[in-house]
Amino acid sequence: MNLSALCIYAGPLARRHIASHGLQAADVACIPAAAGGPKGLILGRLDQFLFGEWLPKSQQPIDLLGASIGAWRMATACLNDAPAAFARLEHDYIAQHYALKPGQKRPPASEVSAQFRQNLNAFYGGRLQEVLQHPRFRLHLIAARGRHIMRKRGGLRAAVGYAGAYVSNAVARPALGAWLQRVVFSTANAQALPFDTRDISTRRVTLTERNFMDALQASCSIPFVLDPVTHITDAPSGCYWDGGITDYHLHMHYHPQPDQGAGLVLYPHFQQAVVPGWLDKALKWRHTSTRALDRMVVLAPHPQWVATLPNGKLPDRTDFTRFAHDFETRRRIWSVAVDASQQLVDELAAWLEKPDVTAIRPL
């Protein structure tokens, strides 16, 4: 089968399963969703297909795990009529616009935070029970909680703390936990976390109506771009930032539950590499696959297909500054890229009808 836009990567256990049984919706135990800002837009049409057409063919419970834009995507998957909700997410995300005053290179973090909260209130207002009581999906939102010098707000505190976190993380990833703690906000129907937590300090908090908005905003609060979120109900005290800092691409040791079929991890992603944390972006030796990903199937755009998009790349955060004074151009090129991503859906749907294991690349 010719897959010109879509690449399918798989760990060895996942590949062996597909070779023997194909890939069925009932095989999926977990769906991670990466941080990455506007890059997540390229996965919206895949989300609509998977949650609207393919996964409803099965009945097993599925853990949905997200950080940053991935947290927003997975919370959206829990809404009634998920395809329509994803279409609205696509529209609302592209429509974000922060007008700059003369001399400004970017809007103040407080302004971005306030507008983002308004967006979340408009998007999820009156619908939280749909998310929190979904009959199948167990939702897990990840945020990074500052420790020690980073527990309290302050630009200097954050700068010193992140410098220390970078150095510690470069030495050993578990050392990152001395500066930032992974906090997972899970719906009450999730009896256990779907991954091993021995890699880094982790706390778990029940996701409720009282803390949902704060938890989701915290998961999306990019340091120095948005303000950290504080005083989250039922959560440990401190400043909470973007979950991608600790778990950029959710490179974790996943473990399925007995009620989750073949226990595969299906990962719509925007690239092949599954990078552990945001501070690992420059640490190329941490971009390779490990045994933790043996059960994983990654669906990602082909680099040559990405090169055909406007400016030869996926939408990303640099576009906010590049087109800071030209919103219509940014809106247009992002819309073109998103519309082009329908090819990913078409190729995946065809492959699922007749899975060809020879088309699968090693993860």
Side-chain angles (χ1 to χ4, degrees):
M1 176 178 293
N2 180 28
L3 298 178
S4 60
L6 178 70
C7 288
I8 303 176
Y9 305 95
L13 289 178
R15 183 185 177 90
R16 287 199 295 269
H17 176 86
I18 295 171
S20 299
H21 307 285
L23 181 60
Q24 309 297 325
D27 296 333
V28 178
C30 183
I31 299 179
K39 293 177 184 176
L41 286 170
I42 214 69
L43 305 173
R45 302 295 172 88
L46 279 172
D47 288 336
Q48 291 185 44
F49 168 73
L50 292 172
F51 289 98
E53 299 182 36
W54 192 63
L55 289 173
K57 297 177 182 179
S58 61
Q59 298 181 340
Q60 81 284 6
I62 300 177
D63 287 286
L64 308 182
L65 179 63
S68 198
I69 182 62
W72 195 351
R73 286 172 50 218
M74 293 300 96
T76 299
C78 297
L79 292 172
N80 296 341
D81 193 358
F86 278 118
R88 179 180 176 185
L89 174 57
E90 173 187 303
H91 173 273
D92 289 1
Y93 199 98
I94 291 175
Q96 290 183 93
H97 179 54
Y98 302 93
L100 297 180
K101 297 177 181 178
Q104 281 186 333
K105 293 184 177 180
R106 66 182 188 185
S110 58
E111 180 182 321
V112 179
S113 292
Q115 185 169 328
F116 186 70
R117 176 52 67 93
Q118 291 177 1
N119 293 341
L120 291 184
N121 289 337
F123 197 89
Y124 292 104
R127 306 187 66 181
L128 293 188
Q129 286 306 309
E130 297 176 31
V131 177
L132 300 175
Q133 297 186 9
H134 196 281
R136 291 185 63 192
F137 298 153
R138 303 161 176 169
L139 180 63
H140 310 270
L141 309 180
I142 296 178
R145 170 180 171 254
R147 308 182 79 179
H148 309 300
I149 192 176
M150 302 177 73
R151 287 188 61 185
K152 296 182 179 180
R153 294 180 59 167
L156 181 59
R157 284 175 171 270
V160 172
Y162 276 108
Y166 181 84
V167 173
S168 298
N169 178 73
V171 174
R173 177 164 160 77
L176 175 64
W179 302 88
L180 292 158
Q181 182 179 56
R182 172 197 291 141
V183 179
V184 186
F185 294 86
S186 303
T187 48
N189 62 348
Q191 298 179 358
L193 291 177
F195 57 89
D196 191 291
T197 61
R198 287 175 290 184
D199 60 328
I200 188 173
S201 176
T202 303
R203 293 283 293 270
R204 185 183 178 197
V205 176
T206 299
L207 190 63
T208 67
E209 284 199 49
R210 295 190 303 169
N211 61 24
F212 175 86
M213 294 295 188
D214 281 338
L216 184 53
Q217 176 145 356
S219 186
C220 297
S221 291
I222 303 167
F224 311 110
V225 177
L226 285 84
D227 288 331
V229 178
T230 58
H231 307 297
I232 301 180
T233 301
D234 299 327
S237 63
C239 291
Y240 287 76
W241 282 280
D242 195 306
I245 301 168
T246 55
D247 297 285
Y248 190 41
H249 294 165
L250 302 102
H251 191 133
M252 298 166 165
H253 288 264
Y254 295 93
H255 47 74
Q257 299 299 311
D259 58 354
Q260 293 182 306
L264 299 188
V265 179
L266 182 66
Y267 194 179
H269 194 18
F270 41 78
Q271 63 183 45
Q272 176 184 2
V274 182
V275 181
W278 188 79
L279 299 177
D280 297 315
K281 288 199 297 182
L283 310 181
K284 300 299 183 181
W285 64 89
R286 294 189 184 168
H287 294 198
T288 58
S289 183
T290 68
R291 292 189 61 187
L293 309 184
D294 283 357
R295 295 178 174 272
M296 181 174 286
V297 179
V298 170
L299 309 174
H302 195 294
Q304 291 182 357
W305 177 83
V306 172
T308 68
L309 300 178
N311 298 316
K313 67 178 185 65
L314 299 175
D316 62 39
R317 284 200 302 117
T318 65
D319 294 334
F320 279 117
T321 53
R322 183 178 183 180
F323 300 105
H325 300 284
D326 191 358
F327 165 71
E328 285 303 322
T329 295
R330 176 176 63 78
R331 182 196 62 76
R332 178 179 55 80
I333 63 174
W334 282 12
S335 297
V336 169
V338 168
D339 287 342
S341 71
Q342 183 61 40
Q343 186 176 353
L344 304 175
V345 178
D346 296 340
E347 292 187 5
L348 175 62
W351 184 85
L352 288 169
E353 287 293 323
K354 190 176 180 180
D356 177 5
V357 73
T358 64
I360 299 177
R361 307 177 184 211
L363 183 58

